[in-house]
Amino acid sequence: MSDPRGFKGWLLDLYLNQEEGLSLWFISAEDDSRVCFKQHFPVTFYVSGPHEILRALWKMLSGRPGVLSLSRQQKQDVFEAEPVDVMAIEMASPAEQVRLFREIEEIYPDLVYYGADLAISTRYMARYGVFPLALCELEVNENGQIENIRAVNSRWDVLPELPPLRVLEIGPNCDPFREKATTLLLRCDRFEQSLPIDPQGDYLRTLDEILEDYNPDILVSSWGDAWLIPFLLRQAEEKSIPLQLNRDTDRTVRWQKETTYFSYGHIIYRPEEAHLFGRCHIDRKSAMMWSDYSLAGTLEMARVTTLPIEKAARVSPGQGISAMQVITALEQDVLVPYQKRQFEEFKSGLELIQSDRGGMVYQPLTGLHTDVAQIDFISMYPAIIILGNISPEVPLPDGLTPAHENLGVVPLTLKPLYEKRVAIKLKIRSYPENHPLVKNLKERAAALKWLLVVCFGFLGYKNARYGRIEAHEAVTKGGREVLLRAKEVAEEEGFEVLHMYVDALWVKKKGCSKPEHFSQLIQKINHRTGLTINLDGIYRWVAFLPSRVDPRVPVANRYFGVFQSGEIKVRGLEARRRDTPLWIAAVQKEMIRLLSLARSKDELQGCIQNTFAYYQEALELLKSGQVQPEQLVINGKVSYALEAYKASTASVRAAYQLQNAGMTVKPGMRVRFVYTRGEPDVLAWDLGKKIASTAINSSKYVELLIKAASAVLPPFGISEDLLREWSLSGGIQLHLAGQVHS
Amino acid sequence: MIVGQLTNVLLPFETPLPPKRFLAIGAHALSERMLQLVSALALRQSMTVLDCGNRSNMYAVARLIRPYTADPVSVMRNIRLSRAFTCYQVLAMIQATARHPMSGPLVLLDLLATFLDEDVKLKDSQRLLAHSLDLLTQLSHQVPVVISTRPIPSIAENRNILLEELKACADVCWEEPLPLPNTQKVQLELF
């Protein structure tokens, strides 16, 4: 037998292989080729329970094909004080492990299982330290089997050496759910091409050739999951034209079932997903955070979480954090529970009231304020978790002081992530804004930010393997403590605190309008809290808005303002909502932009006049039917099965239209519609019917426009009642004057 | 507030509650009434609440007891509670409760909520519920066990059997009457 040969390359894809264990695809670092190797990968899972049942299980499994070994071990369960007795079951391959686990769980459902349902990528990372796009050195035998593998770079590298990825973008020329697509548009670093969808299927032949010649690593599609790939496969079959989407030619496309789930207070629908073997398919429309961090962020997410690229693009950051925590646990030789059974510790009614609280909110002083600084703690909750060593298995801190010196699973997971994000942010600051790396770094920082954002919520999530409600409460308690300390410092320094919201403070002081005026305050807060606070910016002006229902009541986190840099910040307004029609959101944004042109109080009066004139024009356009219907589409949602609705909302009426037209409507799905005159009063946009501007119910949109404008204008002296009266009658003279708290 | 009377008004169960299994079924798992019941019981004695559907609003309880006591802190301390967010946790919580002798009534809020989770196979839900009900039966020999639940929603119709099993286990079962169908209000003739 010949000696194993060496190979160096980046790991692109890894998946189960029924015969040999695993298939791994690499991009060669030597000749740019794409190579697949196999690897045997025995895996172990653990079972605990009454000894007589474990004995019966041991008898059942002894000598069984696929079981490599059975042993009795002691392992640490994070929720138990002492190590637990477990039976370790070593299986020859991951596929056999999955089969056996299903079988014994059926027979012994009351046993406690550990490490039984782990993703293969997670196991692989924990054993070899190898992750998606890791540069690896391998030893491969003559049968193409990996004998040794190690990563030569780390998940935490700020500027890692990355492979020369071939990315092919592909999509139809229009929204295929509204219009018939006539052309496929293809684009990559080498060419751009339009393929007319012809009845003979020549476009399929050309596409197949492109896939073979260009041989992309990543297919970035539009509507790939829900339309493009099913369409291409159907057409190829009907026309008997070969089309090889996978790089692994032995495989067909793998379909992940559609799903509806509950996340952060929202019902989310995810359509069926098309997964490829040997190359990755990312559908922009299904990629959860594509608009936030694009491809660079998705690849960063895959690298740090070790989730396969296709999965990292589609799942929530919570799943990424979960995978990272599992790796930490495996690296620490801590058991990974299959079903978490840990419930909340018993407490009294009084203790529940004292502990079950959220972040600190200090209601804003409503109205318009000038020269206000916003200071934010950098990743406050993750920093508290790390500083306070908050983890389910370690004693909880007293305020911010850790009760245990060895970091638990959760802070151990977060620390390198937090440090990497800070390092990337520092790197961004070290480059000029137009540096070619800046965009890439910003997208990667955004991906890491999302992972850090969800880590706190995940501590309290019912299915989080390393979640514990008391730990979740300890974080918010720490947050409240930190914010109160910051407020104390600000007031000692003579600042007025206008608003506080979880991890941010809005402060002002007469004569303070430059960054250096806030340096001492920031320094003192950093010292008093042990966390890092940062000057987000100084507003030329900021308007804190009251409740719509009762103008005497302020609303936290509903404000807009303009920084000295000219950057506009908006929170809690229509322009930020996903269901607001594009045109209404654009009008509101433009109104704020026109107001933001005022550089001083003196210039404000003129800007208010211009803003109101703009509103007047917008209103006229709307009333005269000159706004295109596609700009008025409302992005509604159905959260339940349609028959469960007792009241028929506009979204539900539109959803029924889709259902009656034979389309599938699932809970969590977005339902786009426009308001129309007469009956029916809504039209589902995805029915694909043409609609004339005159059929649009403009009075509904006038209401929406008034609502949007009345969020912006009241701080400048124009009340909602006045605006409504004027908008609906169009005749009264308004006195346009702002009231500014200087 | 006279506890016996209140219990009787809130839920038509005999008072004082004897050591039995009481089941109350209604919209929102009768949250409001159950919290009133918890308040009434806590005013008199120590008691245990197992919250299986995130319904233990202790602020509401604190408000309810305030007019009836000069020492609300002690009354709130009479309530010993825990929350579970999956049916695996519900069983573990009941197991933990059953390991120690009980001294006062046991109230379970929205017992079936987590058993309706579609990520848990019906077979597993049934198995876990059966274990839970066995333990609750044992506990009901020591103390009254009051369970609330809500009717099975239409989207989980296939899990109706869980409610049937729960009903079969109860000594006393009360269902909130369904609201009367809407009747058209007719304007009386004025002239």
Side-chain angles (χ1 to χ4, degrees), chain B residues 102-149:
Chain B
M102 299 284 294
S103 60
L106 173 63
V107 174
L108 292 101
L109 304 175
D110 206 355
L111 176 63
L112 291 184
T114 58
F115 293 86
L116 304 182
D117 184 345
E118 61 185 9
D119 288 339
V120 180
K121 289 181 212 148
L122 175 58
K123 196 175 60 177
D124 287 337
S125 283
Q126 278 183 281
R127 176 176 57 82
L128 296 167
L129 181 64
H131 279 217
S132 303
L133 295 180
D134 284 348
L135 291 167
L136 292 174
T137 300
Q138 288 170 28
L139 284 165
S140 72
H141 298 144
Q142 298 175 48
V143 292
V145 175
V146 185
I147 301 166
S148 80
T149 192

Side-chain angles (χ1 to χ4, degrees), chain A residues 392-600:
Chain A
E393 78 279 25
V394 291
L396 294 172
D398 177 18
L400 295 167
T401 313
H404 201 270
E405 59 184 28
N406 294 334
L407 287 186
V409 169
V410 175
L412 258 181
T413 306
L414 286 184
K415 197 163 180 281
L417 190 65
Y418 176 79
E419 288 168 352
K420 183 174 187 182
R421 179 161 181 262
V422 171
I424 290 182
K425 296 281 268 186
L426 290 174
K427 192 60 94 182
I428 293 170
R429 279 189 207 163
S430 73
Y431 291 130
E433 188 61 31
N434 57 358
H435 190 280
L437 267 179
V438 166
K439 182 173 176 286
N440 174 287
L441 287 169
K442 279 188 173 173
E443 287 172 358
R444 290 172 54 208
L448 299 181
K449 180 185 174 177
W450 275 109
L451 286 170
L452 290 168
V453 165
V454 300
C455 70
F456 153 70
F458 216 66
L459 264 180
Y461 173 49
K462 64 177 183 177
N463 286 327
R465 294 179 209 255
Y466 297 104
R468 182 179 158 202
I469 200 142
E470 290 83 1
H472 181 84
E473 289 166 354
V475 179
T476 54
K477 185 181 175 191
R480 293 191 298 271
E481 173 69 29
V482 163
L483 215 58
L484 283 176
R485 286 188 198 177
K487 180 173 178 280
E488 276 170 15
V489 174
E491 287 173 347
E492 282 166 17
E493 293 294 306
F495 285 89
E496 184 184 7
V497 179
L498 298 173
H499 182 28
M500 296 203 297
Y501 191 80
V502 186
D503 63 350
L505 296 96
W506 286 257
V507 295
K508 67 182 289 183
K509 183 174 165 184
K510 202 167 175 123
C512 292
S513 59
K514 292 182 178 163
E516 54 268 31
H517 296 149
F518 299 89
S519 305
Q520 191 173 322
L521 172 68
I522 286 169
Q523 222 170 14
K524 287 195 170 177
I525 292 177
N526 287 345
H527 179 70
R528 185 84 61 95
T529 61
L531 303 185
T532 310
I533 201 163
N534 182 43
L535 178 65
D536 198 30
I538 301 169
Y539 290 94
R540 273 185 226 154
W541 53 260
V542 59
F544 294 114
L545 302 176
S547 155
R548 282 188 188 282
V549 181
D550 185 346
R552 292 169 304 176
V553 179
V555 177
N557 215 26
R558 189 165 129 81
Y559 64 90
F560 61 95
V562 55
F563 285 113
Q564 289 174 347
S565 63
E567 184 195 341
I568 292 169
K569 189 157 186 178
V570 178
R571 290 291 181 271
L573 266 60
E574 284 73 6
R576 299 269 299 183
R577 291 180 59 100
R578 288 183 69 172
D579 57 352
T580 305
L582 289 175
W583 185 80
I584 301 280
V587 171
Q588 192 182 51
K589 280 184 198 162
E590 180 60 12
M591 288 175 75
I592 295 172
R593 193 193 68 78
L594 289 168
L595 288 166
S596 78
L597 297 177
R599 301 191 70 85
S600 67

Side-chain angles (χ1 to χ4, degrees), chain B residues 79-118:
Chain B
I79 302 169
R80 180 175 172 265
L81 71 87
S82 175
R83 294 174 291 179
F85 300 93
T86 68
C87 49
Y88 298 93
Q89 292 173 14
V90 168
L91 175 58
M93 183 167 72
I94 296 172
Q95 282 169 333
T97 307
R99 273 198 284 271
H100 305 287
M102 299 284 294
S103 60
L106 173 63
V107 174
L108 292 101
L109 304 175
D110 206 355
L111 176 63
L112 291 184
T114 58
F115 293 86
L116 304 182
D117 184 345
E118 61 185 9

